[in-house]
Amino acid sequence: MTAPPPPHNARPWWQDALVYQVYVRSFADSNGDGVGDLDGICAHLDHIASLGVDAIWLNPCYPSPQKDHGYDVADYFDIHDEYGDLETFDALVAESRARGIHVLMDVVPNHCSSQHQWFLDALAAGPGSPERDRFYFRDGKGPHGTEPPNNWQAAFGGSAWTRATADTDLDDIQWYLGTFTPHQPDFDHTNTDVQEMFADVLRFWFDCGVEGFRVDAIAPVGKDPMLPDQPPVGPDIGVLDITWVNPYTVFREEGHVVWRRWRTEIDGYAAEHPDRELMMVGEAYAVRRPELTRAFTRPDEFHQMFAFDLMLSPWHKESIELALDDILGIVDDTGVAPAWTLNNHDTQRIVSRLGRSDVVDPDSWTGNNLSTTGTEVDLELGSKRSRALIALAFALPGSLYLYQGEELGLPEVFDIPADRREDPVFHLTHGEGIGRDGCRIPLPWTADPTTSFGFSSDDTGTVSEPWLPQPADWGRFAASAQQHPGTMLDLYRRLSIARRDHAVTQELRADVIELGDGLVALRRGALVAVLNVTAAGIDLTTIEHDDVDIVSSARLVLTTDATSSPTSLAADSTSWFVLS
């Protein structure tokens, strides 16, 4: 049954939210140690507010040994000491609220750190203990249990199983499951201790003023209880894709049981605090599988799901239209608003992705955020296309998540020396997977290289090298250099205003309409956003409109008659119209 969308003025804040993702470690360093921190975020909140955002989402900032930079959580109830403490966090929430900005946290349910006290207790307690029941410990196969319990592969390379103790300890023949890395043992969510702990986590951070959660890696939460061998995969399945086609560990019904439990917890807390609109948004790469998005956003599960289809789409009319239609159809049927994004901390930056020489080929689609084709990149062309695609995204119904630095037009950094790379993807695949460090380079705030381009500040004047190396020309993207018309930062600010005034005032729905070859057109009420994916200008005289260039990713080609409307939409650009 179709659920009509509520009137725009009655929608919860998160359905139309503009959210800014903060990768804490790389945003701003307030004490000169080369690592970003919460005080650094506070110091730049005005920059974030200038984008007109409704919320910030903080990547994991819990105590962690940083084997996977926060996604290996050692304590879900505190702040990592390099970033600050709970008092610093309280100050960030207060400063954000003063600017009308909500705070969202990142929560990691599938696994914790191998340094989490529960896991250390499990190792010490031995086979058959209640402590091990919180995780997936199983006896090994073969003589003395020296072979893994099954053939599952880890998402970041290698076996998903790690021996609990040294091979010489024949008294303990058990192995533990780590879907991503050996440093991240998986929780068993059928265990009541695990269930109660995460209920406490949600309530703890709600009490701290958090208004919602981005829930990490929901696909592998919940396993087939028998843990059978994965069926053989074909030669076309890459090393980083094997996990995601394992029917016994991804997109399982057991996971939906977890999310229904979480939703009950959130709704219960919200009932106790009726002045707050709380939410959770799920992260799973269900690209070109809209049925999965529908399943996760049933009324008793996630409020929203990320729609990564547009982010991973080739620069090709029919591919982009498919990415839009799959998700917009869900909005029409259920009224559930998606969470769109073009960039995040796990994916090569869109400026570089859209500059690839093969991106116009629909067959270049990989469907995996960690897999790329490795072709030559034209950064100028990629920048033009990314401006056009973000202009289209700002018109879409639902929320839109921006990743720090995309408003500066930052490209992917490919040439990081091997000895400076930190991502476990790179190390566990022995360099076969380049990893995600290139989209996590510390931000350039100024053109001053002595302060790591403004990333680091310290009253003593002592500044350490940033945790990841910045390119020598990083200052050309600095925020301080983009405070004038025509820059990427200026475009994002203008798009935010246009979105507020012309897009979110419409109903929570949109349609892809046909305007001709090379044009992707989205209609939302009286608003139409038109994207030209070709390398040439396209005639617009057939479009009847009252106004044009509400906002444009590139200047339209004008006729010589100053009273006439523009007649051509520039190559690789987007403009918004109001129809007659």
Side-chain angles (χ1 to χ4, degrees):
M1 180 176 179
T2 299
H8 68 271
N9 58 358
R11 295 197 291 260
W13 69 268
W14 44 265
Q15 286 198 326
D16 293 300
L18 184 61
V19 182
Y20 188 90
Q21 179 190 352
V22 179
Y23 193 78
V24 181
R25 199 170 186 83
S26 297
F27 186 74
D29 163 27
S30 70
N31 58 12
D33 65 356
V35 174
D37 48 50
L38 299 184
D39 279 335
I41 301 171
C42 281
H44 291 281
L45 276 176
D46 286 342
H47 169 85
I48 296 174
S50 76
L51 295 168
V53 305
D54 302 288
I56 56 173
W57 150 36
L58 305 178
N59 283 102
C61 48
Y62 314 102
S64 166
Q66 302 295 314
K67 295 289 187 180
D68 191 19
H69 291 305
Y71 286 93
D72 49 328
V73 180
D75 181 355
Y76 287 85
F77 299 93
D78 206 347
I79 295 295
H80 185 60
D81 57 4
E82 287 183 300
Y83 302 153
D85 53 28
L86 287 172
E87 185 176 349
T88 319
F89 182 83
D90 289 343
L92 174 59
V93 171
E95 289 291 330
S96 298
R97 281 181 171 172
R99 293 166 174 81
I101 297 174
H102 300 287
V103 175
L104 308 179
M105 288 286 274
D106 204 323
V107 64
V108 186
N110 183 70
H111 51 262
C112 63
S113 166
S114 57
Q115 296 302 306
H116 191 286
Q117 190 59 52
W118 274 12
F119 190 72
L120 297 176
D121 292 344
L123 292 177
S129 63
E131 289 84 357
R132 288 200 174 184
D133 286 344
R134 296 163 172 163
F135 304 92
Y136 289 94
F137 280 87
R138 297 292 187 272
D139 291 349
K141 293 181 178 179
H144 308 297
T146 55
E147 299 297 324
N150 65 30
N151 67 349
W152 292 5
Q153 294 294 293
F156 292 170
S159 174
W161 294 94
T162 302
R163 189 76 183 264
T165 58
D167 289 349
T168 55
D169 183 356
L170 301 184
D171 293 329
D172 187 347
I173 62 171
Q174 291 202 313
W175 298 63
Y176 67 86
L177 178 66
T179 293
F180 288 88
T181 74
H183 309 295
Q184 295 161 297
D186 283 27
F187 284 116
D188 183 347
H189 280 264
T190 66
N191 182 274
T192 54
D193 289 349
V194 174
Q195 296 168 16
E196 292 171 2
M197 188 268 283
F198 276 106
D200 290 343
V201 168
L202 298 178
R203 285 184 165 264
F204 177 86
W205 291 106
F206 284 147
D207 286 345
C208 290
V210 168
E211 300 299 328
F213 292 90
R214 177 264 193 185
V215 186
D216 176 66
I218 66 174
V221 173
K223 318 303 197 263
D224 184 309
M226 300 305 294
L227 304 181
D229 275 354
Q230 178 177 359
V233 300
D236 57 324
I237 303 297
V239 65
L240 297 177
D241 293 307
I242 295 174
T243 297
W244 309 116
V245 295
N246 184 347
Y248 303 123
T249 188
V250 296
F251 300 121
R252 302 277 308 171
E253 180 57 35
E254 292 89 345
H256 291 286
V257 174
V258 176
W259 313 130
R260 288 193 285 272
R261 188 182 302 118
W262 281 37
R263 181 61 177 264
T264 298
E265 195 67 39
I266 292 174
D267 289 349
Y269 191 99
E272 298 166 10
H273 302 81
D275 58 323
R276 298 174 67 182
E277 294 177 325
L278 308 176
M279 57 81 75
M280 63 174 178
V281 55
E283 185 242 10
Y285 281 82
V287 182
R288 295 186 178 175
R289 298 185 66 184
E291 74 281 1
L292 293 176
T293 299
R294 289 174 185 268
F296 281 114
T297 54
R298 289 176 289 204
D300 58 350
E301 295 193 37
F302 286 93
H303 297 79
Q304 290 183 298
M305 280 282 290
F306 275 103
F308 294 123
D309 306 57
L310 191 62
M311 178 178 75
L312 299 178
S313 176
W315 192 247
H316 170 255
K317 172 181 165 69
E318 287 75 20
S319 298
I320 294 172
E321 289 176 338
L322 176 62
L324 297 173
D325 276 331
D326 277 351
I327 302 303
L328 294 176
I330 297 173
V331 180
D332 285 348
D333 291 347
T334 68
V336 174
W340 304 93
T341 190
L342 297 185
N343 294 271
N344 64 39
H345 64 291
D346 284 333
T347 308
Q348 286 188 8
R349 288 189 177 273
I350 199 72
V351 168
S352 297
R353 291 178 72 90
L354 292 183
R356 299 193 329 256
S357 59
D358 66 344
V359 75
V360 297
D361 181 357
D363 293 333
S364 69
W365 181 79
T366 67
N368 186 319
N369 62 302
L370 298 180
S371 298
T372 58
T373 57
T375 55
E376 186 178 352
V377 172
D378 181 334
L379 197 55
E380 182 177 352
L381 182 58
S383 179
K384 180 189 293 186
R385 289 171 173 167
S386 70
R387 289 171 66 97
L389 195 60
I390 193 62
L392 181 70
F394 264 88
L396 290 166
S399 58
L400 176 62
Y401 282 64
L402 310 177
Y403 175 49
Q404 65 178 47
E406 72 171 86
E407 77 277 15
L408 305 179
L410 295 185
E412 187 78 4
V413 177
F414 293 103
D415 56 350
I416 303 170
D419 63 353
R420 293 296 308 276
R421 289 192 176 273
E422 302 249 352
D423 191 353
V425 172
F426 178 80
H427 296 290
L428 292 174
T429 63
H430 307 290
E432 182 178 343
I434 194 172
R436 301 158 294 175
D437 293 322
C439 67
R440 301 175 177 183
I441 304 300
L443 297 191
W445 292 101
T446 71
D448 181 5
T450 66
T451 61
S452 302
F453 302 107
F455 169 69
S456 291
S457 60
D458 181 51
D459 292 340
T460 67
T462 302
V463 174
S464 299
E465 187 177 3
W467 72 282
L468 281 175
Q470 298 165 305
D473 66 346
W474 211 226
R476 70 190 177 103
F477 299 104
S480 64
Q482 298 200 39
Q483 306 297 323
H484 56 84
T487 64
M488 187 72 84
L489 179 57
D490 174 62
L491 175 67
Y492 271 72
R493 288 170 174 165
R494 289 191 294 116
L495 286 169
S496 177
I497 294 169
R499 181 178 186 269
R500 179 197 67 203
D501 292 345
H502 299 281
V504 299
T505 56
Q506 310 292 337
E507 287 188 350
L508 192 65
R509 61 161 298 149
D511 297 294
V512 176
I513 60 176
E514 181 57 53
L515 290 183
D517 293 344
L519 294 177
V520 177
L522 178 87
R523 179 167 184 169
R524 190 174 178 191
L527 174 68
V528 175
V530 185
L531 164 65
N532 177 4
V533 298
T534 75
I538 292 182
D539 179 59
L540 295 177
T541 55
T542 60
I543 302 176
E544 297 181 2
H545 53 270
D546 288 334
D547 196 5
V548 71
D549 202 14
I550 296 171
V551 67
S552 176
S553 69
R555 182 171 298 178
L556 291 164
V557 179
L558 301 177
T559 63
T560 56
D561 181 357
T563 64
S564 300
S565 297
T567 60
S568 178
L569 181 61
D572 298 311
S573 73
T574 293
S575 280
W576 291 16
F577 303 82
V578 173
L579 292 186
S580 301

